[in-house]
Amino acid sequence: MPELPEVECFTRDLARWTAGRRLVGVELPDPRVLSGVSLADLEGLLGSAVGRCWRRAKWSVVELQPRGEEPARALLLHYRMTGKPVLEDGARGRKVRLRLRLARASEPELVVAFDDSRCLGEVHLEPVDELPAFFAARRLGPDCWPERHPGPWWTARLGATRRAVKVALLDQHRVAGVGNIGASEACFRARLDPRLPARDLDAAAWEALAEAVPAWVEATLAEELGAEIHFVTAGGSNPFLVYGREGEPCARCRGPIERFVQAHRSTFWCPACQGV
DNA sequence: AGGGATGTTAGAGA
DNA sequence: GTCTCTAACATCCC
């Protein structure tokens, strides 16, 4: 499910759940979720204090400070399509791949679980001081949020390619954090035809995108920080302007929202008011 | 039954 | 080397 706003929410959940706690147990119902780490590696960290939790692109980072002289480590969580961290309060998650048991003073233990129905998600373990290299190896572009970037920055990142602007927005090497929902939402907010080759956009279009991307992030965050996360596929209302709204009236001009496929992924847009 | 799903990446071809 | 696109990963839901 997650794009940048969801991963931001997930990471804040992790920060809240783990604050001031130590890792006191690890369970691994499905070892496929571990990437380059073994259960024994994780067990070697038992007793560590949880430190900072932060987000980079669509990754959550949970820092762990072992007792003694060992260097700080970081758990890196990537949720891919269906992963999410859940707090298990008695009831057990349905597709839990990894469980972390966390203790604080005399309080009851908490169980934070990595739930992932499709099991495409990944959990890595890296020394904290090697995180820059970890992200560099993935050639991850700069985050699209929270730092604001001016129009010319977007031109420089995305403006050289012939690919359609909506497809270019999905390229994490150029700009990190925009997913398939966000790309449609940002094009709608910027009134941009998602089919336009990125290199054909003018300065005004890049300025519009520079506004539209953070506007999408912040609108989605405002929705999702509230009660529960809105999963498009799991009931609840659809919080998006065009995504998943084929056939519905455009919120701006009442024209019908349409769906088509770009790079094997659904694009939703309003042909009447985007890029006429 | 078949198709589609919020992501990423290795590999192929131009 | 660079750019672009495809297939594959694994499972669930409509």
Side-chain angles (χ1 to χ4, degrees), chain A residues 75-225:
Chain A
L75 277 179
L76 292 128
L77 311 178
H78 199 297
Y79 307 101
R80 292 287 186 95
M81 300 288 267
T82 52
K84 59 180 181 292
V86 297
L87 197 57
E88 287 189 315
D89 49 350
R92 302 217 132 186
R94 294 179 319 145
K95 287 294 179 181
V96 167
R97 314 294 178 176
L98 172 70
R99 288 193 181 88
L100 306 175
R101 316 189 72 87
L102 300 155
R104 177 167 61 193
S106 56
E107 294 177 37
E109 227 172 71
L110 285 189
V111 180
V112 173
F114 188 98
D115 185 295
D116 185 5
S117 69
R118 283 169 74 178
C119 200
L120 295 171
E122 300 173 12
V123 175
H124 297 245
L125 181 66
E126 296 287 335
V128 166
D129 58 15
E130 288 175 27
L131 291 177
F134 178 87
F135 292 121
R138 282 166 177 71
R139 296 164 43 236
L140 214 47
D143 267 57
C144 62
W145 186 88
E147 189 184 337
R148 294 288 180 134
H149 304 289
W153 182 91
W154 289 87
T155 314
R157 302 298 310 179
L158 298 175
T161 181
R162 281 183 294 269
R163 295 150 93 194
V165 58
K166 187 263 183 174
V167 176
L169 280 166
L170 294 175
D171 187 342
Q172 304 299 300
H173 303 134
R174 297 169 186 276
V175 174
V178 181
N180 196 45
I181 293 176
S184 282
E185 295 291 298
C187 288
F188 175 76
R189 286 173 179 272
R191 301 184 188 238
L192 260 181
D193 185 332
R195 304 167 301 180
L196 281 178
R199 70 175 182 184
D200 291 350
L201 269 55
D202 62 18
W206 290 116
E207 288 294 347
L209 258 186
E211 293 297 319
V213 170
W216 153 70
V217 172
E218 285 162 20
T220 308
L221 266 180
E223 291 271 351
E224 295 178 347
L225 285 174

